[in-house]
Amino acid sequence: MITPDDFDPIPSTRRRPAVGVGTLKQAVAEADALAVPVAVGRPPAEELGVDAAGLAAAGFTAQRGQTLVRPTVDGPVRVAVGIGSPDRLDSTLVRDLAAEFARAVPWHKRLAIEVPSRDSALPVAAYAQAVTEGVLLARWRYFVGRDAEEPTLDSLLVIAGDDEADEAAAGVERGRVVAAACSLGRDLANCPASTLSAVRMAEVALEVGPAAGLEVEVFDKDQLIEMGCGGILGVNRGSVDPPRMVRLRYQPAEPTGRITLVGKGVMYDSGGISLKPSDESHAQMKNDMTGAAAVLASMTALRALGCTTAVTGYLMCTDNMPSGSAMKLGDVLRMRNGTTVEVLNTDAEGRLVMADALALATEEPVDAIVDIATLTGACLRTFGVEIAGVMGNHRDVVEQLRRAGDSVDEQVWELPLHRPYRTQLDSSIADLTNMGGVNAGSITAALFLEEFVAGRPWAHVDIAGTAQLPAPRTWRNKGATGFGTKLLIEFALGFTRPGD
């Protein structure tokens, strides 16, 4: 019998491959597989062991995304990787190609990949960072079956010339930090809900937070009662596991801005009394805490990346279960800011747990608030599994999120915060309901959340679609993706006060 103790919630922290910068000679001596970038119209590097005519005979023309695996008698397998025109390279393409290389040689555990010459459009450091992220994230896995402890990657060597080594090393280190944070987010989102309870999530935060320079505070049920956090307490009523709110703080020496991140941490969402159907979507509901995972994971990278923005994070953690004590339809909850909410659907619980944290965020000086949540099926139906929705009350905050998403290939697309739909949330017995009509569900959910930000600059990111993928694609994994970690890292690193 498998018990919760058999599962490590964060296995990626125990199995980290060696990553560094080295020479071609070192790669030939030590690596199992070597990726060699090939540009259109340029002769391939000598180490590939084949000329342009030989590649063409095999159907390889160096177009973007092409790979060709060439077994060798001695030394590492050579993999030609098409980069298209070298003056049109970007980080997204390089990250994808590095991942395709890692997937093309799945049994090889010591990989090496070259940085192209300086005549490419992408700086050496950016190229090395994208390569590192692509390989490490493509080789990540969460697995508890036979050979679970067997590493999928032992080492990655990025090959650079002597005059490029320092730049490449800086890029590799940034890529390693980002990939480690993303791996943590994926670990948490994929961990079985019976293992990763709200209590265990708080323990993980206490385990990884201080080492990353974060102050970690954990609030238990009694404290939440004292604080008047009726949203998270109402959702928790049906559970045998107590709730936890975790507050994280990252404080640089001279902050250039202050943001608060709020993550939905519904560790398992059965729907409560409004029970979900027993289908594939229900089976994925261990991922309903992906928002909280992204907040925690992203904040572990801030100090190492030199972030100058002060960041506070809230993880709102509980499960949503049906029982004799569960929240009922028609119940009224009083939230942290005093707002009363009539519950019309217990499966619209994420907005309830986050409302308390949004209210708390307004009680301190803050330049912008961002919440992130697997919130609505409507967003999945609108954008599918590769694009998240974003809405907000401040154009600059939304735009900064959009740019961050484009930069790291975790894209967000704006939906209108159409305030005439707010009337769908009117209640005859309370300040508002937790559920709008049958249409525009993503928008009415955001309008509900806006009620708790007290006019502060705010944006809401709905990752209901992007939190799960049916199949791997480039550096993205199958299953719970941990989407949002890279997005929040980039947002925090580049944040400027709205209006500055």
Side-chain angles (χ1 to χ4, degrees):
M1 178 178 179
I2 295 178
T3 69
D5 291 339
D6 292 327
F7 291 82
D8 180 358
I10 46 174
S12 67
T13 62
R14 327 288 187 216
R15 302 191 299 265
R16 289 184 174 167
V19 184
V21 176
T23 64
L24 177 61
K25 181 178 180 181
Q26 183 181 355
V28 170
E30 299 175 3
D32 298 323
L34 167 65
V36 181
V38 183
V40 170
R42 304 283 181 86
E46 183 178 333
E47 56 267 22
L48 189 59
V50 63
D51 59 15
L55 291 175
F60 182 87
T61 59
Q63 298 299 319
R64 293 163 64 109
Q66 274 192 311
T67 58
L68 178 66
V69 179
R70 298 193 65 254
T72 57
V73 176
D74 298 312
V77 167
R78 267 65 164 182
V79 182
V81 179
I83 63 174
S85 173
D87 59 1
R88 298 178 65 183
L89 277 181
D90 57 38
S91 292
T92 294
L93 173 65
V94 172
R95 191 183 298 112
D96 286 352
L97 291 179
E100 294 291 4
F101 159 59
R103 294 191 190 280
V105 285
W107 306 115
H108 299 76
K109 297 181 181 180
R110 295 176 297 165
L111 306 185
I113 188 165
E114 285 192 89
V115 172
S117 62
R118 288 183 180 273
D119 62 353
S120 72
L122 198 62
V124 169
Y127 192 101
Q129 178 178 345
V131 160
T132 304
E133 290 179 19
V135 170
L136 296 185
L137 292 175
R139 284 296 181 92
W140 170 93
R141 73 169 181 172
Y142 192 105
F143 185 66
V144 295
R146 294 187 180 91
D147 301 322
E149 295 304 313
E150 184 69 20
T152 61
L153 182 68
D154 290 331
S155 64
L156 169 65
L157 187 71
V158 176
I159 303 166
D162 291 343
D163 60 338
E164 301 168 333
D166 289 344
E167 291 178 65
V172 165
E173 178 58 17
R174 290 181 70 86
R176 185 198 63 77
V177 170
V178 171
C182 292
S183 296
L184 171 60
R186 288 178 174 182
D187 286 353
L188 295 171
N190 280 278
C191 186
S194 295
T195 293
L196 193 61
S197 64
V199 171
R200 185 68 182 102
M201 182 75 165
E203 292 172 350
V204 170
L206 288 167
E207 180 180 339
V208 303
L214 304 179
E215 176 189 335
V216 182
E217 301 172 89
V218 177
F219 299 83
D220 63 19
K221 183 175 182 178
D222 289 340
Q223 291 170 301
L224 292 169
I225 292 171
E226 290 178 12
M227 297 168 68
C229 294
I232 189 171
L233 291 166
V235 175
N236 182 253
R237 272 172 26 196
S239 178
V240 296
D241 294 319
R244 289 291 186 269
M245 181 177 78
V246 181
R247 182 162 60 198
L248 311 167
R249 295 192 190 276
Y250 168 74
Q251 184 69 27
E254 297 181 3
T256 55
R258 297 182 181 276
I259 62 176
T260 296
L261 307 176
V262 173
K264 175 185 174 183
V266 176
M267 314 309 294
Y268 181 78
D269 181 20
S270 71
I273 294 297
S274 304
L275 192 66
K276 294 178 181 290
S278 182
D279 58 13
E280 182 179 2
S281 176
H282 191 159
Q284 296 169 357
M285 282 300 104
K286 68 179 182 179
N287 79 7
D288 212 22
M289 39 62 67
T290 299
V295 171
L296 172 59
S298 64
M299 291 184 67
T300 64
L302 298 182
R303 183 179 66 179
L305 297 177
C307 181
T308 60
T309 303
V311 183
T312 298
Y314 285 93
L315 318 180
M316 305 303 288
C317 300
T318 178
D319 49 11
N320 182 27
M321 299 293 287
S323 74
S325 60
M327 180 173 63
K328 303 173 181 65
L329 278 67
D331 282 356
V332 175
L333 307 178
R334 188 178 301 276
M335 319 302 281
R336 165 70 182 182
N337 69 350
T339 299
T340 55
V341 177
E342 181 186 8
V343 178
L344 298 185
N345 188 329
T346 64
D347 197 22
E349 84 298 332
R351 64 202 70 183
L352 298 175
V353 304
M354 291 197 300
D356 290 325
L358 291 172
L360 285 165
T362 68
E363 297 173 14
E364 298 180 331
V366 66
D367 297 316
I369 301 169
V370 173
D371 72 74
I372 183 167
T374 47
L375 206 63
T376 65
C379 198
L380 166 63
R381 289 186 286 275
T382 300
F383 293 125
V385 298
E386 295 188 12
I387 303 172
V390 64
M391 287 156 276
N393 65 3
H394 200 288
R395 164 59 42 202
D396 192 16
V397 179
V398 171
E399 182 60 20
Q400 288 189 54
L401 282 165
R402 186 197 64 77
R403 289 198 302 268
D406 287 348
S407 176
V408 301
D409 199 18
E410 288 194 337
Q411 294 181 324
V412 299
W413 197 276
E414 185 178 8
L415 287 169
L417 197 66
H418 190 58
R419 290 190 175 83
Y421 291 166
R422 167 62 181 80
T423 58
Q424 296 183 34
L425 299 172
D426 287 345
S427 168
S428 60
I429 66 169
D431 293 315
L432 70 161
T433 68
N434 75 326
M435 193 73 180
V438 296
N439 298 316
S442 298
I443 296 173
T444 56
L447 288 168
F448 177 94
L449 294 172
E450 189 186 22
E451 295 286 320
F452 300 89
V453 299
R456 304 295 197 280
W458 157 81
H460 156 64
V461 182
D462 191 332
I463 57 172
T466 55
Q468 191 86 15
L469 276 183
R473 190 177 74 79
T474 62
W475 56 272
R476 298 167 178 84
N477 59 292
K478 178 181 179 179
T481 63
F483 183 102
T485 299
K486 290 182 350 123
L487 171 70
L488 295 180
I489 290 173
E490 189 70 12
F491 174 73
L493 291 176
F495 178 73
T496 58
R497 292 185 176 97
D500 281 3

